[in-house]
């Protein structure tokens, strides 16, 4: 029995169906309102479901995150990023044969055309890697535009494999270009995370020498970032993709949205904030700045639109962080001490408690990435690398069903009709 809600405006009553979720909140289907000449109003989409999806489920009050029904904690402990990418894309964990074939396909796509590598030469060495990544992903559209039929399921899956395969190579190229060092080609003998780390930190012509602990931490970071339902960058990919644009262009739009410090750029902003605080003795000062309405400063890595409890990824990240710091022998890392004091104070302060502001994934990922020697400006690139499977899965899910171009309406508060006045009359 479908539940219904009624809405009465100017004496006219409209019935709206309630659509039932398999997990979490049901939704009021407001599509019938346009026929009644009524819009809904929800800037920032705090209470608006923009689509239906089967990919990822978040319960922000309970601190739950599941990819295709599997809890993030179980995937982080037992899986790896490519297996999670397969799960997101296909909806099921792969059999050994399916996994082997998927990994082989990814390895087969990870090279970047020699001529295309010249795209990085257009950037100064000081350019932010996110600007290079955005350009490079958008540029991939030039290589595959003619041959990609977005209405063909196999073409969409090939696009997904290409993007998942090439993002580590492009990210490493952005890093190497920034340091004026020679690119290192992908190495099929290495795992996905080992290959990325080797292309970043290896030396051309030398055998790979990647720490298994660091590669494991990096792969876990990729898993934790792989998807997060309708976050700002994924919604951007869906919005751009709804115009039937080239998928590489739609993903490039997502990269742009992710870069913002309120979103994926927060991990870099967390490190900048911890460096600015500098010492445990200054933590109180910055917590007070964050509480001051007249001060635009916010505690980077705290708060979340959906999580009003601990971000489950932050918990996993925190454990990973301690393991890496222990291996690196930097357990007394000053920034970790500042972060831990910041977290303690924020968790006891009524301002943060009342607003349910908890540490999110970016709070600990930044410290972990710093501990494995990743330069701060590469943090959001790593978020991009991790999120790639999620973005392209949402794009594919949208195109696999009938969809409409995304075109929100507005509440108009501007001028009513008025006639033009010639210059002489003004
Ligand atoms: C990610 O959406 C996703 O899923 C994103 C993500 C993903 O995986 O894709 O999880 C990744 O983007 C994580 C979030 C990373 N961003 C940061 O860490 C930046 C710092 N956080 C804030 O900018 C903020 O918390 C947001 C942007 C994350 C959420 O903003 P909301 O939901 O719009 O919340 P809000 O601004 O309405 O805040 C509610 C209150 C306000 O105070 P009042 O007006 O009620 O008095 O909380 C305050 C805010 O001022 N507040 C903060 C704060 N975050 C919110 N105050 C101080 N420091 C903060 N960090």
């Amino acid at each position: 029995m479908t539940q219904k809600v009624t809405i009465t405006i100017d004496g006219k009553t409209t019935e709206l169906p309630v659509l039932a979720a398999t997990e979490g909140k049901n939704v009021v289907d407001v599509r019938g309102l346009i026929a009644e000449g009524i819009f809904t109003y929800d800037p920032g989409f705090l209470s608006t479901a923009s689509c239906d999806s089967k990919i990822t489920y978040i319960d922000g009050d309970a601190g739950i995150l599941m990819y295709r029904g599997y809890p993030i904690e179980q995937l982080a402990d037992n899986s790896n990023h490519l297996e999670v990418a397969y799960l997101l894309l296909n909806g099921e964990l792969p059999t050994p044969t399916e996994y082997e074939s998927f990994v082989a396909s990814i390895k087969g796509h990870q090279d970047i055309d020699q001529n295309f590598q010249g795209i990085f030469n257009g950037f100064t060495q000081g350019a932010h890697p996110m600007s290079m990544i955005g350009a490079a992903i958008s540029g991939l559209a030039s290589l595959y535009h003619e041959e990609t039929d977005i209405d063909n399921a196999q073409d969409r899956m090939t696009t997904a494999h290409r993007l998942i395969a090439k993002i580590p190579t492009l990210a490493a190229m952005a890093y190497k270009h920034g340091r004026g060092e020679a690119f290192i080609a992908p190495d099929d003998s290495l795992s996905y995370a080992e290959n990325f780390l080797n292309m970043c930190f290896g030396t051309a012509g030398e055998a790979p020498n990647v720490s298994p602990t660091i590669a494991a931490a990096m792969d876990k970071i990729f898993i934790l970032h792989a998807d997060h339902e309708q976050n700002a960058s994924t919604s951007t990919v869906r919005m751009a993709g709804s115009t039937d644009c080239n998928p590489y262009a739609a993903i490039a739009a997502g990269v742009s949205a992710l870069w913002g410090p309120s979103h994926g750029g927060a991990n870099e902003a967390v490190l900048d904030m911890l460096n600015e605080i500098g010492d445990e003795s200054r933590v109180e000062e910055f917590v007070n700045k964050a509480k001051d309405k007249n001060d635009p400063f916010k505690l980077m890595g705290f708060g979340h639109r959906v999580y009003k409890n601990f971000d489950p990824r932050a918990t996993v990240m925190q454990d990973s962080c301690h393991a890496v710091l222990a291996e690196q022998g930097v357990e007394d890392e000053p920034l970790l001490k500042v972060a831990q004091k910041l977290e303690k104070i924020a968790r006891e302060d009524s301002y943060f408690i009342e607003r349910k502001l908890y540490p999110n994934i970016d709070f600990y990922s930044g410290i972990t990435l710093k501990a494995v020697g990743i330069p701060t400006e590469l943090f959001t690139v790593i978020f991009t690398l991790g999120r790639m499977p999620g973005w392209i899965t949402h794009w594919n899910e949208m195109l696999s069903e009938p969809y409409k171009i995304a075109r929100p309406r507005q509440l108009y508060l501007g001028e009513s009709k008025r006639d033009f006045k010639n210059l002489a009359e003004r």
Side-chain angles (χ1 to χ4, degrees), residues 46 58 225 227-228 230-233 258 261-264 266 270 290-291 293 297-308 311 313 351-352 355 357 360-362 383 387:
L46 280 88
I58 302 172
H225 287 82
D227 193 50
H228 216 237
Q230 306 309 322
N231 59 85
S233 54
L258 185 77
S262 290
H263 186 16
V270 165
K291 292 158 60 176
K293 284 299 157 210
F297 174 78
K298 290 198 170 180
L299 279 191
M300 290 291 109
F302 279 82
H304 196 278
R305 170 61 55 76
V306 175
Y307 288 123
K308 302 307 173 190
D311 180 335
R313 303 168 297 175
Y351 173 93
F352 293 88
R355 291 167 180 79
L357 301 177
N360 58 48
I361 187 167
D362 296 295
F383 195 144
R387 185 55 51 90

Side-chain angles (χ1 to χ4, degrees), residues 75 79-90 92-94 98-108 110 160-168 188 190-195 218-220 222-223 226 385-386 388-389 393:
L75 293 169
S79 189
N80 67 62
H81 188 58
L82 282 188
E83 186 175 67
V84 165
Y86 181 98
L87 169 68
L88 288 169
L89 275 170
N90 298 285
E92 297 295 339
L93 288 167
E98 289 165 336
Y99 178 68
E100 202 177 307
S101 158
F102 181 68
V103 171
S105 173
I106 297 300
K107 288 181 185 288
Q110 57 191 9
H161 287 207
R162 274 200 194 109
L163 280 162
I164 294 168
K166 295 184 186 305
I167 186 60
D188 284 357
L190 301 175
S191 73
Y192 192 77
E194 287 169 340
N195 182 43
M218 187 59 72
D219 193 77
K220 190 168 282 191
F222 293 157
I223 290 175
L385 204 162
M388 187 59 72
T393 298

Side-chain angles (χ1 to χ4, degrees), residues 21-41:
T22 49
E23 291 279 351
K25 294 182 176 48
N26 295 336
V27 297
V28 176
D29 181 351
V30 297
R31 287 175 291 183
L33 288 179
I34 188 68
E36 309 297 332
I38 302 167
F39 294 161
T40 60
Y41 180 66

Side-chain angles (χ1 to χ4, degrees), residues 320-333 336 367-368 371:
S320 226
C321 184
H322 288 306
V324 168
L325 292 175
E327 193 209 49
Q328 300 291 83
V330 285
E331 280 157 305
D332 60 346
E333 156 72 40
L336 179 63
I367 302 164
T368 308

